[in-house]
Amino acid sequence: MLVLTRRAGESIMIDDEIELKVLKIRGSQVHLGIDAPRNSAVHRKEVWIRIHGEPKAAAPVNKAAPVDK
């Protein structure tokens, strides 16, 4: 997970087409603006889970497995 610090009025870019902008911060609430192409689905996570179901856990990684070089 990438963690970024942004102030009101600042943005981050995702790929070349999606801008996530911090509009305002009021107490514990953060107001975000999302500028994305119309063909990009943008949902709050609780809505996304209702549509798609709970995300599956990543497969466990076997750290003892040799790595080919």
Side-chain angles (χ1 to χ4, degrees), residues 11 13 15-17 19-20 27 31 38-39 44 52 54-57 60-61 65 69:
S11 299
M13 295 299 297
D15 290 329
D16 292 330
E17 297 181 318
E19 180 180 10
L20 179 65
H31 295 245
R38 287 200 172 273
N39 63 348
R44 295 186 325 262
H52 299 285
E54 287 287 338
K56 295 179 181 170
V61 176
K69 292 188 179 189

Side-chain angles (χ1 to χ4, degrees), residues 44-58:
R44 295 186 325 262
K45 186 170 183 179
E46 60 272 19
V47 173
W48 185 90
I49 289 171
R50 274 190 259 145
I51 295 168
H52 299 285
E54 287 287 338
K56 295 179 181 170

Side-chain angles (χ1 to χ4, degrees), residues 4-69:
L4 300 171
T5 301
R6 301 278 73 199
R7 291 184 170 92
E10 296 180 333
S11 299
I12 64 168
M13 295 299 297
I14 301 171
D15 290 329
D16 292 330
E17 297 181 318
I18 301 173
E19 180 180 10
L20 179 65
K21 186 171 186 176
V22 179
L23 301 176
K24 65 182 171 182
I25 303 168
R26 189 178 290 165
S28 63
Q29 286 189 334
V30 178
H31 295 245
L32 301 173
I34 302 167
D35 188 11
R38 287 200 172 273
N39 63 348
S40 296
V42 178
H43 301 287
R44 295 186 325 262
K45 186 170 183 179
E46 60 272 19
V47 173
W48 185 90
I49 289 171
R50 274 190 259 145
I51 295 168
H52 299 285
E54 287 287 338
K56 295 179 181 170
V61 176
N62 183 353
K63 293 182 180 183
V67 177
D68 293 335
K69 292 188 179 189

